[in-house]
Amino acid sequence: MASSVDSPPAGCASGLGSHRRKRITFSRGQLLELERVFAARPYPDIGTREHLARVTCIPEAKIQVWFQNRRAKRIKNRKPGGLSPRPELPQSSCSFPETLQEPWEPPTLGQQPPLSPSIPQHVSACGHASCPAPSLGSGQGCAGVRAAAPWGLAGTSEVYLSLEQPTPPISLGNLSEVIYASAIVTNVDHC
DNA sequence: TAGTAATCTAATCAAGC
DNA sequence: GCTTGATTAGATTACTA
C-alpha cells in the first residue's frame, strides 16, 4: 500500500528530507468535488477514485485517505446511539440522488420518478460502474462489492441483492457515468 | 490451503487555521 | 484549540498458485 501513496511528482511531498507528514490543504474546488462524490458514494471504487484523482488533480491515494477520514468523521458524528454507523451508509452510499439532490440534480435521472430510490441503491452498493452484479463476480472483481461486504454481513447486502434484481431498466455503466457527469461536470476547472 | 492484494474501520498523531 | 490530513494496526474478503 505504501507504494502508490507517494506520487512524488505531485509537487508537495516530493522528497523533502523529512518525510514527516506534510499536510496538504485541498482547495475549495477539490473539496467540493470530493464531498459531492462522497455524498453520492462514500465507498468509491478504484475507478471512481482514479477518475476523481484526474478531475481534482489529487493523487488517488490522497483521495482514498480523504474518503477514509471522511467516513470516520461521519461515523463519529452520527454516533448518537452509538450503534450501527453503517446502516445509513448503504443509504447515502447508494441513493446518491437522495443526498445529492442539491445543486446538481441530473436532468435526466433526477426526475426519475419514485423508481430512482431503488435503482441507485444497487449502483452504489456495487459501487462500480461496470459491475453488473455482486454475485456475478466478473473477473475484475468489484471493489464496491467488497466495500459493502463488511456490514453486508449484518444483512444489509441481502437488501441490496433483492433490490437490484428487479431494477434492470437503467444500465449501471451509464448510470455511474451520469453520477459522475453530474458530480464532476460542475467543476472541472481545477487542473 | 496458503499466500497475496485490496479495502475497510478505528485509533492516533500532528499540521494548519 | 479545533479540524482534518496522514499514519498505523488489525480484520475481512476475493483471487491466484
Side-chain angles (χ1 to χ4, degrees), chain A residues 43 86-95 118-126 134 144-145 147-149 151-152 155-167:
Chain A
Y43 298 85
R86 277 74 169 276
E88 60 183 271
L89 287 177
Q91 278 201 355
S92 47
S93 75
C94 300
S95 51
S118 53
I119 294 173
Q121 290 244 353
H122 163 230
V123 177
S124 300
C126 164
V145 177
W151 58 80
T156 353
S157 61
E158 294 169 17
V159 178
Y160 297 166
L161 292 176
S162 54
L163 277 175
E164 65 200 30
Q165 307 240 347
T167 56

Side-chain angles (χ1 to χ4, degrees), chain A residues 2-191:
Chain A
S3 47
S4 59
V5 174
D6 316 71
S7 276
C12 15
S14 19
L16 304 176
S18 60
H19 49 74
R20 209 39 210 127
R21 43 180 88 174
K22 197 57 180 175
R23 179 174 175 154
I24 67 175
T25 43
F26 299 125
S27 70
R28 288 221 156 203
Q30 290 173 321
L31 278 176
L32 224 157
E33 194 62 52
L34 289 169
E35 295 202 359
R36 282 185 171 177
V37 176
F38 177 78
R41 36 167 103 177
Y43 298 85
D45 56 31
I46 183 66
T48 303
R49 273 187 270 121
E50 286 183 342
H51 195 150
L52 237 187
R54 277 189 205 141
V55 172
T56 59
C57 297
I58 299 172
E60 186 258 324
K62 302 288 181 189
I63 289 180
Q64 188 167 21
V65 170
W66 185 89
F67 270 85
Q68 283 175 193
N69 285 321
R70 205 60 169 183
R71 272 181 247 126
K73 178 187 170 185
R74 183 191 245 189
I75 291 173
K76 239 182 174 180
N77 290 339
R78 305 275 171 108
K79 231 178 185 180
L83 284 181
S84 55
R86 277 74 169 276
E88 60 183 271
L89 287 177
Q91 278 201 355
S92 47
S93 75
C94 300
S95 51
F96 53 88
E98 270 225 81
T99 28
L100 286 188
Q101 57 176 311
E102 327 167 313
W104 60 348
E105 53 178 301
T108 42
L109 273 176
Q111 302 315 322
Q112 293 276 343
L115 259 176
S116 33
S118 53
I119 294 173
Q121 290 244 353
H122 163 230
V123 177
S124 300
C126 164
H128 200 187
S130 50
C131 181
S135 37
L136 290 181
S138 49
Q140 280 294 18
C142 176
V145 177
R146 274 200 241 140
W151 58 80
L153 295 176
T156 353
S157 61
E158 294 169 17
V159 178
Y160 297 166
L161 292 176
S162 54
L163 277 175
E164 65 200 30
Q165 307 240 347
T167 56
I170 290 190
S171 128
L172 299 182
N174 291 339
L175 220 183
S176 112
E177 295 223 319
V178 171
I179 302 172
Y180 241 100
S182 42
I184 289 166
V185 121
T186 42
N187 43 332
V188 191
D189 50 294
H190 306 301
C191 304

